[in-house]
Amino acid sequence: MVKTQKTKPNQTDRLLVIACGMIAREVLAVKEQLGLDHLELTCLPAEFHFYPDRIAPAMDKAIEKAKTEGYEHIFVGYADCGTGGLLDRVIEKHGVERMAGPHCFAFYQGMEAYAKVADDDMMSFYMTDFLCRQFDAFFMKPLGLDKHPELIKDYFGNYEKLVYLAQTDDPELDKVAQKAAAVLGLAYERRATGYGDLTIEMAQAAKVA
């Protein structure tokens, strides 16, 4: 019997997701969950979470590069994410789509669910699985809170609670989120969101591709 090997589709047949580095693990999890073998992922730096003005120009270059490499189906794995509409200008320019909503904290909860809690969450500090894993690297050390805990009130004094949006059921991440809430002096709430609208929109983008 002669075994035949599967050949990978070329770039024109594949879906390229250009995403925020903060959701890379989650995009790959959804890819595996849905069996999206034709989905490929590339990411912009997760630190752009702190520098939203860098997202749109970097995405513009990333899409242009992808197109020169032959990708015809591209999906932007960002919501607006603080770009103030600048990211939408980029995706309109290139004729691509992005995740719906203002930020990942919204689409993880699902846009309908988020709309119901948005007002009540105005004084909430959101954390995700990624931010739990990177709490020290993203908050404590860059803000100097590890050496100057007295600054916590300056940075987090206007928040009332920490809301952990859990993509997975990981007791170790729960502990990190609970400890973070205690360190920041905030009430704690855990919401099991899973991947929210990320699953729905990845499936739709892959279907279109």
Side-chain angles (χ1 to χ4, degrees):
M1 178 183 290
V2 178
K3 293 184 178 180
T4 59
Q5 292 183 336
K6 289 185 177 180
T7 58
K8 290 185 177 181
N10 58 36
Q11 279 90 333
T12 60
D13 298 323
R14 299 180 73 79
L15 170 66
L16 178 66
V17 177
I18 306 176
C20 170
M22 285 179 57
I23 69 168
R25 183 189 293 251
E26 288 70 29
V27 171
L28 292 176
V30 170
K31 172 183 177 177
E32 181 177 356
Q33 182 184 74
L34 300 180
L36 304 178
D37 295 334
H38 66 302
L39 185 153
E40 293 183 354
L41 172 66
T42 187
C43 292
L44 300 186
E47 66 180 21
F48 283 5
H49 176 76
F50 294 124
Y51 307 101
D53 59 306
R54 301 181 186 179
I55 296 173
M59 182 60 68
D60 190 26
K61 293 179 180 178
I63 294 174
E64 288 180 351
K65 180 176 182 292
K67 287 186 174 182
T68 63
E69 294 173 348
Y71 289 97
E72 295 183 358
H73 306 291
I74 299 170
F75 185 79
V76 173
Y78 275 88
D80 178 74
C81 296
T83 68
L86 294 180
L87 182 58
D88 284 337
R89 295 183 187 179
V90 172
I91 66 173
E92 182 178 355
K93 169 186 173 181
H94 292 288
V96 299
E97 300 289 336
R98 69 164 173 86
M99 290 293 302
H103 40 62
C104 65
F105 308 123
F107 68 66
Y108 274 145
Q109 296 182 83
M111 290 306 300
E112 289 188 14
Y114 174 71
K116 296 178 181 178
V117 300
D119 288 342
D120 290 338
D121 280 358
M122 288 294 291
M123 309 302 288
S124 296
F125 177 67
Y126 285 129
M127 288 187 67
T128 62
D129 283 13
F130 175 90
L131 291 175
C132 283
R133 295 187 184 95
Q134 303 296 329
F135 183 70
D136 286 341
F138 259 60
F139 297 106
M140 296 301 290
K141 292 181 180 179
L143 297 178
L145 304 181
D146 55 335
K147 297 180 179 179
H148 300 283
E150 68 274 10
L151 295 176
I152 289 176
K153 288 186 178 180
D154 293 333
Y155 286 113
F156 295 93
N158 291 326
Y159 291 107
E160 296 177 349
K161 66 178 177 179
L162 183 152
V163 178
Y164 170 33
L165 308 175
Q167 282 73 70
T168 57
D169 187 12
D170 187 332
E172 292 305 311
L173 296 184
D174 291 348
K175 292 178 183 178
V176 172
Q178 291 173 358
K179 181 179 179 180
V183 168
L184 300 179
L186 304 176
Y188 177 70
E189 179 182 343
R190 182 185 189 276
R191 296 177 191 165
T193 65
Y195 304 121
D197 287 349
L198 181 64
T199 302
I200 298 170
E201 296 212 30
M202 288 296 100
Q204 182 60 36
K207 183 178 180 181
V208 171

